[in-house]
């Protein structure tokens, strides 16, 4: 083949690869904001992740009594609080939609203007894709497919993307091989192999669950449903509105997570009309702790668990009780093993 024709073919192939790569980045940018949920939206707009999460204070005196609820609720579970927040009147609802559309547009514009924010959102999308596909995450791939010419900002981009993955999805990014710079995303819950939330096919809901568990904890370990939705509404998650990450949030927390035993959802005793409340389910008690949840909530607000002494002391007591339970379980296991060993020795001596 003539040299000139070879050069043309090579140039054409380079253009084809460049076009495919550009299209891939455009697709990632289009879906990156949705993949990152509220946290990635904050990244796109240059906000602190804590700005999209509600504040909480160490004020046990304002805490409702366990097992009680303050706002009536229909049997279908739609709270008056959430209804009042979004359905006061049609004009207000329309204005709310316009504001959300304006904010979404502003986020897209910020992504285009600030390449670093765009890279954070793209990296969040990339990490989520790798997690769902169960594929290894390497620094070389992140540099090649996402960071590119911003390699000198790699550490900053990775730090911010990791923070958003943790707060939006409850996933920690850990370096598992420092030599080859390989990373893995690990759920903040110690998910077992049976009855998991199927997060490989769907966006992880651990972050949403962690928030709900936190609200339950700071409400005296039993939170009225309207308290849950009041907090979630502040995050842009509404019972009556489909969420682009969590789908049907009401179904997720009142059905899916209940069936998986992460949450307990029950009617308040003697309530008429019926009111409902949430408690930690058995799997939540087994796979996380009050201290882990408090650490998660404290990190959202850029502080430390001890900044909330009331909840911190309760979490410390919980840690101590768990440690004592583990020691007792080990002691029982050792005693049973010793008893079996003595029985086997006795049977052997009798046989001989």
């Amino acid at each position: 083949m003539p040299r000139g024709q070879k050069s043309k073919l090579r140039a054409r192939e380079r253009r084809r690869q460049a076009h495919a790569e550009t299209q891939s980045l455009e697709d990632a940018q289009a879906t990156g904001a949705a993949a990152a949920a509220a946290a990635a939206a904050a990244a796109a707009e240059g906000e602190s992740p804590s700005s999209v999460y509600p504040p909480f204070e160490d004020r046990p005196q304002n805490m409702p009594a366990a097992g009680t609820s303050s706002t009536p609720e229909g049997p279908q579970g739609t709270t008056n609080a959430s209804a009042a927040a979004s359905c006061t009147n049609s004009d207000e609802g329309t204005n709310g939609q316009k504001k959300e559309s304006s904010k979404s547009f502003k986020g897209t514009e910020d992504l285009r203007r600030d390449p670093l924010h765009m890279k954070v959102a793209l990296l969040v999308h990339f990490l989520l894709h790798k997690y769902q596909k169960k594929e290894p995450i390497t620094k070389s791939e992140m540099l090649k497919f996402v960071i590119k010419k911003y390699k000198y900002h790699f550490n900053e981009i990775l730090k911010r993307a990791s923070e958003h993955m943790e707060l939006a999805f409850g996933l920690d990014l850990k370096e598992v091989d420092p030599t080859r710079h390989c990373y893995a995303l690990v759920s903040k819950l110690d998910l077992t192999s049976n009855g998991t939330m199927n997060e490989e096919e769907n966006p992880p809901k651990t972050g949403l669950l962690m928030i709900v568990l936190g609200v339950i904890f700071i409400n005296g370990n039993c939170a009225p449903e309207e308290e849950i939705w009041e907090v979630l509404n502040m995050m842009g998650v509404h019972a009556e509105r489909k969420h682009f990450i969590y789908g049907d949030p009401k179904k997720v927390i009142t059905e899916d997570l209940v069936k998986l035993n992460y949450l307990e959802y029950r009617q308040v005793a003697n309530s008429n009309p019926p009111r409902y409340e949430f408690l930690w389910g058995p799997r939540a008690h087994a796979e996380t702790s009050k201290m882990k949840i408090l650490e998660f909530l404290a990190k959202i607000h850029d502080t430390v668990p001890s900044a909330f002494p009331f909840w911190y002391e309760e979490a410390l007591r919980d840690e101590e009780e768990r440690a004592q339970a583990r020691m007792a379980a080990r002691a029982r296991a050792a005693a049973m093993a010793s008893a079996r060993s003595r029985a086997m020795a006795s049977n052997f001596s009798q046989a001989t």
Side-chain angles (χ1 to χ4, degrees):
M1 183 181 294
R3 180 178 300 175
Q5 190 172 352
K6 287 183 178 179
S7 298
K8 289 180 179 178
L9 288 174
R10 284 196 295 269
R12 186 182 304 164
E13 178 63 19
R14 284 196 295 270
R15 286 196 298 272
R16 186 192 66 79
Q17 291 178 350
H19 175 75
E21 188 174 271
T22 302
Q23 185 63 43
S24 176
L25 277 178
E26 289 175 353
D27 292 343
Q29 182 175 350
T31 56
E45 296 179 18
E47 298 175 4
S48 166
S50 63
S51 65
V52 300
Y53 290 93
F56 72 103
E57 300 177 356
D58 188 42
R59 294 181 181 175
Q61 66 271 22
N62 294 335
M63 179 179 64
T68 64
S69 183
S70 57
T71 305
E73 159 185 73
Q76 297 301 319
T78 303
T79 63
N80 290 342
S82 63
S86 60
C87 305
T88 302
N89 55 60
S90 59
D91 291 337
E92 185 174 328
T94 302
N95 291 336
Q97 291 176 357
K98 289 180 179 178
K99 288 179 181 179
E100 287 187 3
S101 298
S102 175
K103 185 174 182 180
S104 176
F105 178 76
K106 178 182 180 295
T108 303
E109 288 298 303
D110 285 341
L111 281 174
R112 292 173 181 170
R113 286 198 300 266
D114 191 328
L116 207 60
H117 293 158
M118 180 187 73
K119 291 299 181 181
V120 172
L122 288 174
L123 186 55
V124 168
H125 172 73
F126 176 84
L127 293 172
L128 183 59
H129 175 78
K130 287 288 189 179
Y131 177 77
Q132 293 173 320
K133 296 294 184 181
K134 296 185 178 180
E135 294 176 352
I137 301 168
T138 62
K139 179 179 180 179
S140 60
E141 282 192 327
M142 287 187 278
L143 288 170
K144 179 179 179 181
F145 297 115
V146 181
I147 308 299
K148 298 200 168 189
K149 64 181 181 180
Y150 297 95
K151 61 183 179 179
Y152 297 110
H153 300 282
F154 173 77
N155 290 335
E156 174 64 16
I157 295 170
L158 183 64
K159 176 178 178 292
R160 287 161 56 180
S162 301
E163 187 175 41
H164 295 314
M165 289 298 292
E166 178 184 3
L167 301 183
F169 300 117
L171 297 172
D172 286 327
L173 183 68
K174 298 182 181 294
E175 189 172 21
V176 294
D177 187 342
T179 303
R180 295 187 298 168
H181 299 291
C182 293
Y183 299 81
L185 285 165
V186 182
S187 173
K188 295 185 78 67
L189 293 179
D190 299 326
L191 296 175
T192 59
S193 58
N194 296 322
T196 63
M197 285 184 279
N198 201 25
E199 295 188 341
E200 289 76 18
E201 289 84 11
N202 302 298
K205 300 176 178 66
T206 306
L208 179 63
L209 174 59
M210 298 281 282
I211 291 292
V212 174
L213 293 177
V215 177
I216 295 170
F217 172 38
I218 65 176
N219 274 274
N221 304 307
C222 181
E225 183 171 10
E226 57 269 23
E227 291 283 339
I228 299 291
W229 288 114
E230 183 179 348
V231 172
L232 294 182
N233 289 351
M234 294 172 68
M235 297 168 52
V237 180
H238 301 270
E240 72 288 349
R241 191 181 306 167
K242 187 172 182 179
H243 193 269
F244 52 84
I245 289 298
Y246 304 125
D248 183 349
K250 182 170 181 59
K251 180 177 179 294
V252 170
I253 69 171
T254 63
E255 296 181 29
D256 299 346
L257 295 175
V258 173
K259 289 178 182 177
L260 292 170
N261 292 318
Y262 284 110
L263 296 173
E264 182 181 344
Y265 181 60
R266 69 187 187 188
Q267 183 177 335
V268 176
N270 302 319
S271 61
N272 186 21
R275 294 173 295 166
Y276 298 86
E277 60 192 5
F278 284 93
L279 297 88
W280 284 29
R283 283 188 69 181
H285 284 288
E287 297 175 9
T288 191
S289 67
K290 292 178 180 180
M291 185 61 76
K292 289 181 180 179
I293 294 298
L294 187 59
E295 289 171 351
F296 177 77
L297 295 176
K299 188 166 187 178
I300 286 174
H301 298 286
D302 196 25
T303 186
V304 294
S306 57
F308 307 96
F310 180 84
W311 314 121
Y312 185 62
E313 289 175 9
E314 182 175 347
L316 285 176
R317 288 194 299 270
D318 181 65
E319 291 293 297
E320 185 177 349
E321 291 172 2
R322 286 171 176 268
Q324 292 175 353
R326 287 192 297 268
M327 291 176 60
R330 284 195 293 267
R332 287 194 299 270
M336 291 176 63
S338 178
R340 284 197 297 268
S341 178
R342 287 195 301 270
M344 290 176 62
S346 177
N347 291 338
F348 179 77
S349 63
Q350 290 176 4
T352 57

